[in-house]
Amino acid sequence: MSKDIIQFPKNFLWGTSTSAYQIEGGITNDWSEWETSSERKKKLQKQGRDLEEYICGKACDSYNRYEEDLNMVASLNCNAYRMGVEWARIEPEEGKFNEAEIEHYKKVLDEAKKKNLKIVLTLWHWTNPVWLANKGGWTNKEVVNYFTRYVSTVIKELGDRVDYWVTLNEPMVHVSNGYLTGEFPPNKRNYFQSRKVLNNLAKAHNKTHKLIHQFYPDSWVSITKLTNDFQPARKWCLLEKGLAKLFHYNWNEKFLRRIKDHLDYIGVDYYFHDRIIRRPPFKKNKNKQVTDMGWEIYPRGIYNTLKYLSKYKKPLIILENGLADAQDDKRSDFIRNHLYYVHRAIQEGVDVQGYFYWSLLDNFEWAEGFWPKFGLYEVDRNTFERKPRESAKIYARICRSGKLEI
Ligand code: FCB
């Protein structure tokens, strides 16, 4: 069979993504409090799990090993890197900003600049300082002011080193997992609180967008939008079609509508294809191929997602796409197949300007702990030694040439 070569646009951003809490280590925030709470420990013990695996602790020790991490990004031939700053480090006590931590982030960003990397900086990736959590987190009516006060400091101190801003990572996940299913801190199941949180997150984004633009009028500011590809299991079934639309509206569309006038681009996260059926649990995927976490691998979904988002008429940058694959036997094809569909969307006129693989290295996968292995680099849990997987070589080749053979 003859192979086709597909070529990406010249200034395409090739990157990898990480977040502060999942890699840095040594952070005290609402998540670290929850992980070490007796309630959580008891629950894990009952399930027979190894507690150590579910406490973020030193994470990947990237706080100390950031130079090595950035060298890894450079060896992947990436021209961009998405990283986060941790609110709890920068403002560990209400209204008190920690100079030393700000200096630390300056060093990290300067090191990234030395490597000519474009920086996508995430300001909030689900975690909150303990003082804020104690005041009700994102349900507190003052939270928008607290957030923008923190962001003002980041803009003044670090703003000149940032190329693209992400105000909030996947806000709907905080709304749903934090306030509806209760899987994530603050572990609530309360619809009214979830509405409040959604409103406050949307307001916080809009206000932050304006604030960043006051300092940097040409800046590019977005959130990352986890966008699922909802499709009816049977296209002819009106009920399934209707349900798919409803889920799509609630999960993909609702938040974006609230912030659509405050977006310079859209940060796209794609992981899930949901095949909707008419009976609970309303989802039944074919699962021909799944990741280690049981998530269906469905590359065409990224195309559907990009096509849908193109209606907002903003540039799109894929800021997360990846899989847990400890054996690394699916990752290379996963990347190639998703990129094939990204390219197809570009060819059809969708303005996609970059692709960031999640993640640079194995890290702390939230409530799942350390077992899911998302990294292009594997990390030894005892020594923190990093080693490239085979797929890292494949990704490095793609990033260097901007091409791939299909
Ligand atoms: C996304 C999160 C990211 C990581 C990946 C697997 O939803 O933003 O931190 O956990 O999933």
Side-chain angles (χ1 to χ4, degrees):
M1 210 172 74
S2 79
K3 286 201 169 166
D4 280 338
I5 294 189
I6 61 176
Q7 172 91 51
F8 282 80
K10 215 165 143 243
N11 295 322
F12 201 72
L13 295 173
W14 292 103
T16 64
S17 279
T18 56
S19 88
Y21 188 63
Q22 291 174 276
I23 67 166
E24 283 184 1
I27 295 173
T28 303
N29 60 19
D30 58 345
W31 270 79
S32 68
E33 296 283 290
W34 172 63
E35 286 154 22
T36 50
S37 67
S38 54
E39 236 185 330
R40 159 84 164 156
K41 283 186 184 166
K42 259 189 233 149
K43 200 167 162 194
L44 290 171
Q45 256 156 356
K46 250 196 206 157
Q47 298 168 343
R49 315 249 182 141
D50 175 2
L51 293 186
E52 285 301 303
E53 286 289 302
Y54 294 85
I55 294 178
C56 185
K58 287 189 173 173
C60 311
D61 194 31
S62 290
Y63 187 78
N64 299 308
R65 292 167 201 256
Y66 65 89
E67 272 191 67
E68 198 183 339
D69 289 354
L70 290 166
N71 284 336
M72 283 149 44
V73 181
S75 340
L76 290 170
N77 302 312
C78 289
N79 54 17
Y81 180 51
R82 173 176 170 218
M83 56 171 269
V85 285
E86 181 70 26
W87 187 357
R89 264 193 204 288
I90 294 180
E91 191 184 357
E93 284 176 59
E94 188 182 345
K96 294 202 178 125
F97 292 89
N98 186 324
E99 290 291 327
E101 297 294 14
I102 294 169
E103 284 310 306
H104 168 80
Y105 284 124
K106 280 186 187 162
K107 277 197 288 183
V108 179
L109 292 168
D110 287 345
E111 193 59 35
K113 285 285 136 192
K114 273 196 217 153
K115 299 186 163 32
N116 279 326
L117 295 171
K118 293 263 189 245
I119 287 293
V120 180
L121 192 75
T122 310
L123 296 165
W124 179 86
H125 201 121
W126 301 339
T127 54
N128 299 308
V130 175
W131 62 263
L132 176 63
N134 289 342
K135 285 173 163 244
W138 284 85
T139 61
N140 186 307
K141 61 180 184 322
E142 286 300 316
V143 67
V144 177
N145 295 331
Y146 298 144
F147 186 68
T148 45
R149 179 177 60 187
Y150 147 66
V151 178
S152 302
T153 303
V154 177
I155 299 172
K156 281 182 205 145
E157 300 279 356
L158 308 174
D160 57 345
R161 295 159 168 90
V162 177
D163 299 287
Y164 300 84
W165 299 84
V166 172
T167 56
L168 306 170
N169 179 71
E170 300 179 355
M172 286 303 288
V173 174
H174 187 63
V175 172
S176 104
N177 294 15
Y179 291 88
L180 290 173
T181 66
E183 287 161 80
F184 287 5
N187 317 101
K188 306 275 192 225
R189 288 171 182 221
N190 182 320
Y191 177 75
F192 294 101
Q193 287 190 346
S194 82
R195 293 296 308 175
K196 252 194 215 166
V197 170
L198 190 151
N199 284 337
N200 285 335
L201 286 164
K203 277 189 207 153
H205 169 80
N206 290 342
K207 209 169 156 192
T208 306
H209 178 264
K210 282 192 212 149
L211 188 67
I212 298 174
H213 275 260
Q214 275 166 23
F215 287 84
Y216 296 101
D218 299 329
S219 57
W220 277 36
V221 183
S222 176
I223 60 166
T224 53
K225 186 70 195 85
L226 177 65
T227 315
N228 293 19
D229 177 31
F230 295 103
Q231 300 291 345
R234 294 167 301 178
K235 286 208 170 59
W236 51 264
C237 174
L238 288 181
L239 187 56
E240 286 173 358
K241 243 174 127 173
L243 281 170
K245 276 201 173 139
L246 190 71
F247 288 126
H248 171 78
Y249 174 78
N250 238 328
W251 190 247
N252 295 336
E253 179 96 4
K254 195 164 60 188
F255 198 86
L256 277 182
R257 284 207 187 178
R258 299 283 304 270
I259 62 166
K260 67 177 180 1
D261 298 331
H262 297 279
L263 289 170
D264 304 294
Y265 70 100
I266 300 177
V268 186
D269 291 0
Y270 171 72
Y271 294 98
F272 300 106
H273 161 70
D274 296 315
R275 192 170 161 275
I276 302 303
I277 52 169
R278 59 183 166 166
R279 291 199 182 86
F282 301 112
K283 174 176 161 174
K284 192 172 180 206
N285 282 17
K286 291 201 169 155
N287 290 340
K288 279 197 193 129
Q289 222 195 2
V290 295
T291 75
D292 293 351
M293 295 175 86
W295 301 357
E296 186 182 21
I297 299 180
Y298 191 77
R300 200 201 149 91
I302 202 167
Y303 167 85
N304 295 343
T305 292
L306 294 169
K307 289 291 264 193
Y308 150 63
L309 289 169
S310 68
K311 78 168 193 178
Y312 286 94
K313 305 213 177 329
K314 303 279 177 191
L316 306 177
I317 304 178
I318 297 149
L319 288 178
E320 283 187 36
N321 175 234
L323 81 168
D325 176 24
Q327 297 303 319
D328 200 40
D329 52 10
K330 300 191 179 119
R331 188 172 284 102
S332 299
D333 279 347
F334 178 100
I335 295 176
R336 293 152 51 86
N337 294 337
H338 280 77
L339 281 173
Y340 165 80
Y341 278 109
V342 173
H343 185 261
R344 187 155 148 191
I346 296 174
Q347 271 190 321
E348 289 175 21
V350 182
D351 184 10
V352 189
Q353 301 201 1
Y355 176 89
F356 290 60
Y357 176 78
W358 180 278
S359 178
L360 173 65
L361 72 178
D362 293 343
N363 58 53
F364 184 72
E365 179 50 25
W366 306 110
E368 294 293 325
F370 284 109
W371 74 262
K373 307 295 183 197
F374 276 89
L376 289 165
Y377 281 76
E378 96 187 81
V379 178
D380 183 305
R381 292 284 341 125
N382 296 313
T383 62
F384 298 113
E385 192 196 338
R386 283 95 157 110
K387 256 200 240 140
R389 295 200 160 98
E390 265 314 295
S391 53
K393 294 175 197 157
I394 306 285
Y395 191 52
R397 235 181 275 155
I398 298 173
C399 295
R400 189 186 56 222
S401 61
K403 289 187 208 166
L404 77 139
E405 267 185 17
I406 285 291

